[in-house]
Amino acid sequence: MSHHKISVTVNGSTSDDEVESRLLLVHYLREVRGLTGTHVGCDTSNCGACTVMLDGRTVKSCSVLAVAADGADVLTIEGLAADGEMSPVQQGFQQCHGLQCGYCTPGMVMAATGLLLENPDPDEDEVREGIEGNLCRCTGYSMIVDSVRWAAEHGGAGDVAARHTAH
Amino acid sequence: MGSMVGAAVIRKEDPALLTGRGTFVDDIRLPGTVHMVYVRSYLAHARIVSIDVSEAAAKPGVLGVWTNADLEGLPPNRSVPGMERPCLARDKVRFVGEPVAVVVAADRYAAADAAEAVLVEYEELPVMASVEAATAEGAVPILDGLESNIVLEHVLSATDAEAELAAAPHRLAIHLKNQRCAAVPMEPTVCLADWQASGLTLWATTQTPHHSRNELAAMFGLSQQEVRVVAPDVGGGFGAKASCYPEFILTSELSRRLRRPVKYVETRSENMTSMVHGRAQDHEVEVGFDDDGALLALRVKITQDCGGWPDATGIGLPTLTSFMAGGCYKIPVIAPSFRSVVTNTTPVGAYRGAGRPEASFMIERVVDHVAAELGLDPLDVRRRNFVQPGEMPFATQFEGIVYDEGDFPGALAKLLESIDYDALRADRDARRDDPAKPLLGIGFSTFVEMGGFGPTPLFEQFGYVGGWESANIRLNTDGSAVVKVGTSPHGQGHQTAFAQIVADELSIPFERISLVHGDTAMVQEGIGTMGSRGAPVGGSAVFKAAGKVRDKAMKIAAHMLEADESDLELVDGRFSVKGAPDQGVSMAEVAVRSFKPHLLPDGFDLGLNETAYFEPSNLSYPSGAHCCVVEIDRDTGFVKVARYIAVDDCGTVINPLMATGQIHGGVAQGIAQALIEEVRYGDDGQPASGTLVDYTLPSAMDLPRYETDHIVTKTSFNPLGAKGLGESGATAAPQAVVNAVVDALSHLGVRDVEMPCTPQKVWRILAQKAS
């Protein structure tokens, strides 16, 4: 199995690592970088629990090789709360009870953040379409939709765009 | 009660989960951890001729490969005596996905590589992937030592109701199928075992840590104090994480042998064949009724497909279905019976509702069938047969199954306030003649189910120590409180709900109460979270413990104030003499005093630290009335849920925000069962729904916005009056949706559509009726 040297910036911190060429980005984040907030919920890229932002766009990190993220800027759920204050999306999920078990939540929050970057004021249908790639088994989605709408009215994606601009 | 119970408080659980700081089992890092991966059978029924592990064992990073033969003496998983499943298949495999060997390696990728290199030679056996095949003439018994594949048969009534059915003015035979579903908690099964000289610690995705501890201790011959089971953050369970899985036993045993922590992380594809499935019941129903729709007799023959091995919980579920066969109706004679059949499929266990949704679907479909037969409105038939509020408590014909409180007509009346039924019916009828518009259907579900599981005599039958729950409340010297509960939440929000109860009972600020759960080394004996028992049983234990703390604190306060206890009250965190609020002491002052023996009466027990066990006097019976409005695309057969309205009666609502969340989630799973989800197998036992590509969970695009409301009749079986509601939505929704689908097609002569009502199925019906 061949190995490669990669340099990836995650949540503002850059690290040089040697990884197997087949290592998935999600496993790189969890096992190499120790960022266990990003979860794995399937093996067919259906569930979206592993959603992170890669150079300003949301990706399912189970479907990206770590080597493909060489030189990239990754934002994970751990990096979303600037200076310890939860982002509007995170706050929205708490205010509107947009989570129960919390397993899909990091991916859902990242997907919602990505949606609000593209469309700061989505209506209900647009929110539903925007998070369609992220599965939640607990909430039935209504309160997630409310959470995203709450965030849209309280600062949207927050300062994510400013902190993590596309390269 | 004070002001917290009943308030829509946002959750204490959320900040950690929202910032990636939760602790799920796979997030736990122990030095030296190695990884276990299964070699699973790709055949549904076969004799194992040989297993060659040599190539796998020689792979880099591999610490060992084990088969059943290498694990001599390792006890099997508990089940029906004589039908216990070994952790690794012995001689035969009985379903696709059954583990035949395990590999342990230094990392997960290396273990998976090595598992691929294990060579298993099989001799194929006849596959019986359905009840029909497993019960056919000449079918080979799947389990050794049995003469057939029917592993359990039971008749739950003294009569077969034939006389009453024969005497009824009308009689209908109806076949209903409750298809096999998968729970699919977003976190699959994960465990991490660390066997030290001092004993075993297992972190596991379980709803029942104490129960798992008891099982593991018994299997390994350890004393229970030597075994610690921890359920940290658990990513959903829906009943399927209440079963004990072979990986819990195997990681423990291999950690013992390797003297290193062993972790197992299931992939989703493994999960789809490894975690217990739910439902999988067929019902042959006969109902007798009169011209007015009064139900006179009901006979239900239940067939449960219990999969390749009987699951300890799963095998008990048809009994619950039988008990609830009458729904919320007075039916003079009910004759349920069941048989459980092993097949070459994944074992069947608990899935949200576990036995009750099957009953509720059956009787609510039966009522609609009766209405259609007589040309009556389905609501009139329901009203004609309801158990009335004045008839509560209502003893069903099954011993101990007593509906305590409920207002079935009241819930329906409340539901009808939210919909204009006449206008909906007029719209439905008008659309039938307007091909430009989708068809419209209206379906109802007036349901009752079981919540608040115990009591002990019932729960013992599922292998649990008891049906009670426990709580310990300890006050620190600053008057803040730590609560330890025996429930093991995995999304239900017990940290928040139970703190609300304590806040009210002890007048301690909500923010100054924290909760410990899911750790057998920290928490007193407990049972777990399943069967909608969190609020009614766990919450009542918290309530009872808080009462004990308050009583003791009152004694200390009386001593401090030199007053009589009966003259004191606890208001806003202060004990004071009634009518003289300025003379008082705070809870914090009382808490400090509780640790000052020289300032307390002689012999006074120090501390404010009380434990309570609450045994419910019976099950509670959550109920309600739901309505679903569907639109059916005439060209594609696609069913869209246009409206979903739920009125629930879960008794006391502790936190309306979380109660709403529970109803939403349950209804979502119910709608998904009605329209989308089905675990399917080929005749060869190969799963046709083995990944999330084939087993399609609903996304946000597939589900509606829900309209929810409550009526409240408090149960008398616990002091909170809470009935539980975690399973109500999943129990109520499937038949509301199917009744609506059938209603939309009823003008075509359609009386039934089998779940899931997929576009293909509905389109075929439309096409057939058109031709």
Side-chain angles (χ1 to χ4, degrees), chain B residues 48 51 67-68 86-94 98-101:
Chain B
I48 300 169
I51 306 175
T67 67
N68 183 282
C87 291
L88 295 173
R90 181 176 54 227
D91 304 330
K92 270 164 75 172
V93 291
R94 292 170 171 83
E98 184 166 14
V100 294

Side-chain angles (χ1 to χ4, degrees), chain B residues 51 365 482 525 596 723:
Chain B
I51 306 175
R365 288 292 300 125
V482 177
E525 199 64 39
K596 308 282 187 192
K723 298 178 180 178

Side-chain angles (χ1 to χ4, degrees), chain B residues 47-374:
Chain B
R47 189 168 304 284
I48 300 169
V49 177
S50 65
I51 306 175
D52 180 357
V53 305
S54 54
E55 188 190 338
K59 290 244 177 203
V62 172
L63 282 82
V65 186
W66 290 263
T67 67
N68 183 282
D70 304 317
L71 298 169
E72 195 74 29
L74 188 68
N77 216 340
R78 197 178 54 77
S79 185
V80 181
M83 301 182 203
E84 294 93 346
R85 170 183 170 186
C87 291
L88 295 173
R90 181 176 54 227
D91 304 330
K92 270 164 75 172
V93 291
R94 292 170 171 83
F95 63 95
V96 171
E98 184 166 14
V100 294
V102 280
V103 175
V104 174
D107 78 61
R108 224 174 275 175
Y109 284 52
D113 283 348
E116 290 281 309
V118 172
L119 301 175
V120 186
E121 189 186 340
Y122 295 105
E123 176 192 321
E124 296 196 37
L125 295 169
V127 175
M128 292 150 285
S130 64
V131 166
E132 293 69 32
T135 55
E137 186 76 28
V140 186
I142 292 168
L143 297 183
D144 298 337
L146 298 187
E147 290 179 0
S148 84
N149 288 314
I150 299 172
V151 292
L152 186 61
E153 279 188 284
H154 195 43
V155 177
L156 287 98
S157 58
T159 169
D160 64 0
E162 182 53 38
E164 290 83 354
L165 286 166
H170 304 275
R171 179 175 180 163
L172 261 184
I174 304 161
H175 176 235
L176 294 164
K177 187 178 170 190
N178 219 285
Q179 83 273 30
R180 182 185 281 246
C181 293
V184 199
M186 292 315 301
E187 176 197 35
T189 298
V190 185
C191 56
L192 170 61
D194 186 19
W195 190 306
Q196 306 257 6
S198 55
L200 164 69
T201 302
L202 181 78
W203 289 264
T205 51
T206 177
Q207 300 172 219
T208 60
H210 285 87
H211 184 57
S212 301
R213 178 205 60 188
N214 298 350
E215 303 256 284
L216 289 166
M219 285 174 192
F220 288 111
L222 296 171
S223 65
Q224 291 180 358
Q225 57 83 23
E226 292 176 294
V227 181
R228 177 185 182 193
V229 174
V230 185
D233 286 324
V234 173
F238 312 112
K241 286 181 182 168
S243 289
C244 184
Y245 288 97
E247 39 272 27
F248 297 170
I249 305 163
L250 282 166
T251 50
S252 300
E253 171 66 10
L254 296 177
S255 176
R256 186 183 72 81
R257 292 185 179 213
L258 293 166
R259 292 184 292 280
R260 294 175 74 162
V262 177
K263 187 185 265 190
Y264 168 75
V265 181
E266 189 175 68
T267 67
R268 176 60 62 192
S269 300
E270 289 182 289
N271 171 266
M272 297 304 291
T273 60
S274 178
M275 180 171 270
V276 291
H277 293 157
R279 312 287 187 260
Q281 287 189 13
D282 269 39
H283 297 174
E284 293 291 347
V285 188
E286 289 207 69
V287 60
F289 50 98
D290 70 12
D291 293 343
D292 299 327
L295 304 174
L296 302 174
L298 180 72
R299 182 163 68 206
V300 192
K301 293 182 178 174
I302 300 166
T303 299
Q304 179 199 34
D305 177 351
C306 61
W309 292 97
D311 174 82
T313 302
I315 200 74
L317 301 181
T319 303
L320 301 181
T321 308
S322 301
F323 286 161
M324 296 308 293
C328 47
Y329 309 111
K330 279 175 292 188
I331 306 175
V333 186
I334 302 174
S337 61
F338 69 81
R339 56 179 188 153
S340 294
V341 180
V342 287
T343 61
N344 292 122
T345 61
T346 293
V348 166
Y351 171 46
R352 203 169 194 165
R356 294 97 77 201
E358 296 89 325
S360 195
F361 179 79
M362 181 275 296
I363 190 65
E364 288 302 294
R365 288 292 300 125
V366 164
V367 167
D368 267 37
H369 269 282
V370 167
E373 185 73 11
L374 295 172

Side-chain angles (χ1 to χ4, degrees), chain A residues 16-80:
Chain A
D16 297 327
D17 300 290
E18 189 169 305
V19 299
E20 272 189 58
S21 50
R22 64 176 175 174
L23 184 71
L24 300 177
L25 177 59
V26 65
H27 288 143
Y28 170 75
L29 293 170
R30 289 181 57 84
E31 309 300 333
V32 179
R33 302 298 293 266
L35 295 165
T36 55
T38 303
H39 298 153
V40 181
C42 75
D43 45 13
T44 47
S45 72
N46 290 86
C47 83
C50 63
T51 303
V52 300
M53 299 197 80
L54 181 73
D55 289 338
R57 287 167 186 265
T58 52
V59 296
K60 291 181 177 178
S61 61
C62 73
S63 304
V64 178
L65 291 170
V67 294
D70 185 22
D73 185 356
V74 177
L75 177 67
T76 72
I77 188 73
E78 289 94 341
L80 204 54

Side-chain angles (χ1 to χ4, degrees), chain A residues 27 41 90 100 137 140 146, chain B residues 18 109 268 677 705-706:
Chain A
H27 288 143
Q90 289 168 313
Q100 290 181 31
R137 195 58 159 165
D146 295 344
Chain B
L18 279 164
Y109 284 52
R268 176 60 62 192
E677 294 182 23
R705 177 159 285 278
Y706 319 93

